[in-house]
Amino acid sequence: MEKVKIYSRFERFWHWTQMMLILLLIITGFEIHGTFEAFGFETSVRLHSAAGWAFLILTIFAIFWMLVTGQSRQFVPVRNNIKSQIMYYISGIFKKEPHPVKKTADSKLNPLQRIIYFGLIILVFPVQLITGFSYLFFHYPDKPFAFEGLEAIAVLHTLGAFLLVAFVLAHLYLITTGHTITSNLQAMITGYEELDEETETATN
Amino acid sequence: MKNQFSKSVMALLVSLLLPLAVLLLTLKVAAHKGTPDVVDVKLKAEHISSVDHSQFEILQQDFETPHDVTAACLSCHTGRDEEIMATAHWKWEREEEIPGRGVVSVGKKNLLNNFCTGANGNNGSCMRCHIGLGWKDKSFDFADNRNIDCLVCHDQTDTYFKQKGQGGMPATAETANSAYQVPDYPYVAQNVGLPKKNNCGICHFYGGGGNNVKHGDLEEALLSCTKEVDVHMAMDGPDMACIDCHTTERHNIMGKLYSVSSANTNRIHCDQCHTTTPHNDKVLDNHFEKVACQTCHIPIYAKANATKLYWDWSSAGLTDDHGNGYSEDDADGNHNYLSIKGNFVWDDHVKPEYYWFNGTVDHYLSSDTITEVPVKINSLFGAYRDSTAKIWPVKVHRGKQIYDTGNNTLISLKLWAAEKGEGAFWKDFDWDTAARLGMEYNNRPYSGNYDFIASEVYWPINHMVSPKEETLSCTECHSRDGRLAQLNDFYLPGRDYNKSVDYAGFGLIFMTLIGIVAHFFGRLVAYFKNR
């Protein structure tokens, strides 16, 4: 076992900032939705808008980072080992079997993670950003152009929010399924994770 | 070791401190709230008259009649008579276009209502609020400028009054009594000025037969009120007069009442003084597009005295053992029964109802037949999809009033007469005669059969603006059962949601949690088994 750097400084900054913003967006968003009371409706509206802007800016930086470093390839789904990864979660993990796909700095995500994260990046985030900013700017019909009101936008935005909550819950649990219970968490904090020697490759 | 230390510092920085910095910056941005601009306007009370009317010789005569005073006024103020005689205050009707019905002439003169049902034919009492002198019957000459009553609006001495039951005439030597004396015309005429609150209020506060009966947001308490009742007219505030907002050019007074008018013209808007972005804050100013200022800033009306919300004419006419009318009061001391008028429901501190309103209104015209129950005396046009419509607070006055079952029309009643035996309901308590005479005076057919029918009238609320601390908070509307619960032709955040999406969403979250717990339990079992 060797300590390998798998998360760059920017990746970690991106991850934890995104975590805080999404948490804030979920709490304020569901208060606006009428699900519960938290900060007060007006405060939540202001927080949600500000957090939306911050999320947009962070996303622009993240896209820039992915394109410049080529790290976007990490999130492209692969065909191999999807089934064995599923089998690992529903049976292997209980038999102390090893992870079917080795984690390396060049391939940090397992096949299922790739699918889920790809879905978030390609579908959920863009839908949330587009509907979210539509929500901010096109409240009313006829201003600035004929728009069928808020309903479709709001319902889509709510749907995206539910998917994100479900993702966050599953994500919080699944990070405990690493080499040790906290190894994934430690990696996202320090950038380093103990990986098998054979998988060690040059990192950037 | 040093390497290890710098790695820890870097981890602390990128994984905690920098993300926290972004979060704090976000909170800081969210906390930004604009401060409203201060409004600076010159009030009419600061107006200094350029002349001293007491110096004019023509006003120093012993006037025989109020008509002579008017003639004296007009001898200097030339042309003002034509201005006045073109207004709805004089004509009690205006040519206006009702969307979908073309141009009609509507006003107090010809419209029906669900208070005292209609003025025309009850002139002695109702036309006391006309700005003419003695519109007692159809013989009143609207072309004679001497019939204009200049003093009722311009009196500054608070001693000039129109007498009850005289169709707008002040007391004369023949009619004077303990309540109404002949006015001291030279004194009144030498002290004229711009209309004060009570000049307007003498009619606009007491419509419908008593203080605050009709409007709910216009009443005598506004003459000396606190900021809690009305921030504009408050004694402890700017103490504004009616004409400070109802600005007037050549006797054309801005603003109008939608129980008697239809077109979106000559209106007053808050943004005349307050601009269209008064809060200086985007989240709040965005509401201007679809929400009238009044909606948030007048959370309740009838803040001092009660207003009538319901009037059931069908119970009117009961008399005591001697055949006389009587009255009963509710717990607050307001009439809840009058033999001459029926049953009432009064209330104070009333929450308005809310409707879309684009500044145009339809009316039940005297030529209309009844097509829906309750009969809409007027109806406000507007909808979410209408880009000119906003959400408005409205007083809705509901009631039951007499209608002609044969012709299916609302009946114009003869209610008032000076004496018994003239067929007026308020003296003789005979529905049939009152209906026949009222319809006759209004040149409308009457079948001889009548019953009572539910009706409602919509009065947009504009006055009794509250201090900013008492404006509606967001969740008054943005909540599941808020004030706009009935106004559901649009999606309102905080109130509305898609049921299927919410069920599916919470279902998904629930299933995820179940999955997590089950999986974790499996791992626990495996852990202990393998040990």
Side-chain angles (χ1 to χ4, degrees):
Chain A
M1 299 290 272
E2 180 90 4
K3 275 214 159 193
V4 180
K5 179 163 185 178
I6 57 165
Y7 297 120
S8 69
R9 292 168 196 168
F10 176 79
E11 261 180 307
R12 284 176 284 152
F13 165 75
W14 172 31
H15 175 271
W16 291 112
T17 307
Q18 186 159 274
M19 177 214 82
M20 289 181 187
L21 291 178
I22 286 184
L23 194 64
L24 185 63
L25 285 165
I26 286 174
I27 296 170
T28 55
F30 277 95
E31 169 156 37
I32 295 166
H33 188 60
T35 308
F36 48 70
E37 277 178 47
F39 306 106
F41 190 89
E42 183 177 349
T43 309
S44 270
V45 168
R46 292 175 192 278
L47 281 171
H48 201 81
S49 303
W53 279 106
F55 189 83
L56 177 69
I57 295 166
L58 184 69
T59 304
I60 291 169
F61 273 96
I63 292 170
F64 179 74
W65 170 82
M66 282 203 238
L67 294 178
V68 168
T69 61
Q71 287 292 306
S72 50
R73 68 188 145 78
Q74 299 264 9
F75 301 96
V76 179
V78 289
R79 280 167 193 235
N80 296 339
N81 294 319
I82 294 176
K83 198 179 164 195
S84 55
Q85 188 66 39
I86 294 173
M87 287 314 292
Y88 171 75
Y89 282 128
I90 59 181
S91 100
I93 188 169
F94 303 115
K95 298 174 191 160
K96 265 198 153 180
E97 283 176 13
H99 282 262
V101 183
K102 297 284 176 258
K103 187 175 189 174
T104 72
D106 279 350
S107 179
K108 295 178 263 202
L109 304 174
N110 72 43
L112 287 182
Q113 280 179 305
R114 281 173 181 259
I115 292 171
I116 296 294
Y117 290 3
F118 188 76
L120 281 180
I121 289 169
I122 288 298
L123 200 66
V124 179
F125 286 174
V127 164
Q128 288 308 80
L129 281 166
I130 290 166
T131 54
F133 279 88
S134 306
Y135 212 129
L136 266 185
F137 289 106
F138 305 128
H139 304 217
Y140 307 124
D142 301 336
K143 299 267 174 127
F145 50 80
F147 207 69
E148 287 299 295
L150 203 55
E151 181 153 20
I153 291 172
V155 169
L156 258 180
H157 199 70
T158 312
L159 188 67
F162 279 118
L163 291 176
L164 272 170
V165 173
F167 165 77
V168 167
L169 293 173
H171 180 69
L172 281 175
Y173 174 68
L174 286 171
I175 60 167
T176 66
T177 62
H179 183 65
T180 67
I181 284 197
T182 59
S183 63
N184 280 325
L185 179 64
Q186 279 175 5
M188 193 45 91
I189 294 172
T190 64
Y192 289 86
E193 184 171 356
E194 288 198 355
L195 298 177
D196 293 342
E197 287 146 50
E198 61 196 281
T199 63
E200 188 193 341
T201 44
T203 57
N204 43 342
Chain B
M1 196 55 203
K2 193 178 173 231
N3 193 23
Q4 191 56 43
F5 177 72
S6 78
K7 277 181 185 169
S8 302
V9 170
M10 189 52 72
L12 189 69
L13 195 66
V14 300
S15 299
L16 184 65
L17 296 181
L18 280 179
L20 265 182
V22 172
L23 184 70
L24 289 177
L25 197 66
T26 306
L27 298 183
K28 177 84 185 153
V29 170
H32 172 80
K33 222 173 158 177
T35 21
D37 297 323
V38 175
V39 176
D40 187 24
V41 286
K42 189 175 188 298
L43 300 182
K44 292 288 183 194
E46 295 157 22
H47 170 85
I48 297 164
S49 176
S50 53
V51 295
D52 177 357
H53 281 88
S54 67
Q55 304 286 315
F56 292 126
E57 228 170 273
I58 196 167
L59 299 180
Q60 291 166 355
Q61 52 174 309
D62 283 329
F63 295 100
E64 288 279 313
T65 65
H67 304 83
D68 295 341
V69 181
T70 299
C73 298
L74 291 173
S75 69
C76 288
H77 295 280
T78 54
R80 300 299 101 125
D81 49 343
E82 285 163 34
E83 291 167 16
I84 275 288
M85 289 157 91
T87 66
H89 272 115
W90 177 255
K91 299 200 289 190
W92 275 24
E93 62 181 333
R94 315 179 165 86
E95 298 261 306
E96 294 209 312
E97 187 177 352
I98 298 179
R101 297 179 66 158
V103 176
V104 291
S105 187
V106 293
K108 290 180 72 66
K109 193 179 181 178
N110 56 26
L111 287 176
L112 286 120
N113 64 58
N114 65 357
F115 294 92
C116 292
T117 72
N120 210 29
N122 300 301
N123 299 31
S125 181
C126 298
M127 276 50 167
R128 188 176 165 219
C129 272
H130 181 246
I131 59 158
L133 294 164
W135 180 6
K136 283 187 169 175
D137 50 41
K138 288 173 179 169
S139 67
F140 181 73
D141 187 357
F142 282 91
D144 182 357
N145 59 11
R146 284 167 47 89
N147 279 337
I148 299 168
D149 187 349
C150 303
L151 298 179
V152 72
C153 298
H154 292 284
D155 170 38
Q156 306 285 295
T157 65
D158 298 339
T159 63
Y160 179 85
F161 300 104
K162 288 164 173 287
Q163 191 173 13
K164 264 191 177 175
Q166 299 299 324
M169 272 293 285
T172 61
E174 295 82 55
T175 65
N177 56 29
S178 61
Y180 294 93
Q181 289 93 43
V182 180
D184 181 349
Y185 289 118
Y187 173 59
V188 176
Q190 288 169 28
N191 287 289
V192 289
L194 291 176
K196 301 181 297 172
K197 262 187 274 190
N198 52 353
N199 294 99
C200 307
I202 193 70
C203 285
H204 292 281
F205 292 162
Y206 303 100
N211 182 45
N212 211 20
V213 166
K214 278 185 171 173
H215 285 268
D217 63 339
L218 273 187
E219 60 128 327
E220 63 192 14
L222 294 172
L223 293 173
S224 58
C225 65
T226 60
K227 278 183 176 175
E228 275 61 45
V229 175
D230 187 293
V231 284
H232 295 109
M233 290 182 257
M235 300 297 276
D236 57 345
D239 194 14
M240 289 167 72
C242 308
I243 58 170
D244 283 317
C245 292
H246 293 267
T247 51
T248 304
E249 275 291 326
R250 303 199 152 261
H251 284 104
N252 174 41
I253 302 173
M254 295 284 280
K256 56 171 154 192
L257 180 65
Y258 279 98
S259 55
V260 287
S261 51
S262 298
N264 188 10
T265 52
N266 209 40
R267 293 175 69 191
I268 299 171
H269 296 284
C270 305
D271 54 273
Q272 280 169 211
C273 297
H274 291 279
T275 78
T276 57
T277 54
H279 311 93
N280 218 352
D281 183 286
K282 219 168 171 201
V283 179
L284 296 177
D285 285 336
N286 270 339
H287 287 75
F288 182 81
E289 199 72 45
K290 279 286 162 197
V291 183
C293 310
Q294 290 87 332
T295 297
C296 299
H297 290 276
I298 310 176
I300 49 171
Y301 64 94
K303 289 186 204 166
N305 295 300
T307 187
K308 244 177 227 183
L309 294 177
Y310 183 76
W311 182 330
D312 180 359
W313 276 99
S314 66
S315 59
L318 301 177
T319 52
D320 62 16
D321 300 341
H322 310 289
N324 296 320
Y326 62 93
S327 66
E328 285 169 4
D329 287 357
D330 65 17
D332 296 323
N334 298 308
H335 292 308
N336 60 8
Y337 182 76
L338 282 175
S339 295
I340 59 168
K341 294 181 175 179
N343 278 98
F344 313 118
V345 175
W346 296 75
D347 202 8
D348 52 39
H349 298 82
V350 185
K351 274 189 191 180
E353 297 179 36
Y354 299 91
Y355 295 93
W356 290 107
F357 179 41
N358 65 11
T360 60
V361 162
D362 196 3
H363 296 277
Y364 179 91
L365 303 177
S366 57
S367 54
D368 286 348
T369 50
I370 294 166
T371 53
E372 55 177 338
V373 186
V375 182
K376 294 245 174 102
I377 299 294
N378 70 346
S379 42
L380 311 179
F381 286 113
Y384 173 69
R385 295 293 172 88
D386 177 347
S387 64
T388 60
K390 295 186 181 195
I391 296 168
W392 277 75
V394 178
K395 174 190 169 178
V396 185
H397 180 259
R398 298 183 167 84
K400 270 176 100 174
Q401 67 190 104
I402 189 167
Y403 81 111
D404 182 330
T405 52
N407 294 317
N408 208 26
T409 52
L410 292 181
I411 287 175
S412 308
L413 279 174
K414 179 166 181 62
L415 291 170
W416 182 90
E419 304 296 336
K420 271 190 179 184
E422 293 177 36
F425 185 80
W426 287 348
K427 298 286 183 196
D428 304 330
F429 300 114
D430 179 352
W431 282 119
D432 188 55
T433 311
R436 188 169 46 75
L437 292 175
M439 294 299 261
E440 215 171 87
Y441 191 91
N442 285 277
N443 302 316
R444 301 176 61 208
Y446 172 55
S447 71
N449 299 307
Y450 65 87
D451 199 354
F452 295 86
I453 193 166
S455 64
E456 39 191 50
V457 68
Y458 295 76
W459 292 57
I461 297 285
N462 288 290
H463 307 91
M464 294 199 176
V465 174
S466 286
K468 63 180 178 216
E469 296 77 23
E470 282 159 37
T471 51
L472 289 190
S473 61
C474 308
T475 47
E476 289 280 343
C477 299
H478 291 282
S479 60
R480 294 280 187 255
D481 292 307
R483 292 188 181 221
L484 298 185
Q486 305 304 316
L487 202 64
N488 38 29
D489 61 340
F490 68 106
Y491 185 95
L492 177 64
R495 179 191 70 177
D496 294 324
Y497 58 97
N498 182 298
K499 262 195 179 145
S500 330
V501 167
D502 263 38
Y503 282 135
F506 286 116
L508 177 67
I509 290 171
F510 185 68
M511 297 299 283
T512 307
L513 286 172
I514 295 273
I516 289 169
V517 170
H519 201 266
F520 179 69
F521 187 71
R523 277 167 76 198
L524 267 184
V525 170
Y527 174 76
F528 285 110
K529 228 158 101 184
N530 296 340
R531 208 156 57 153

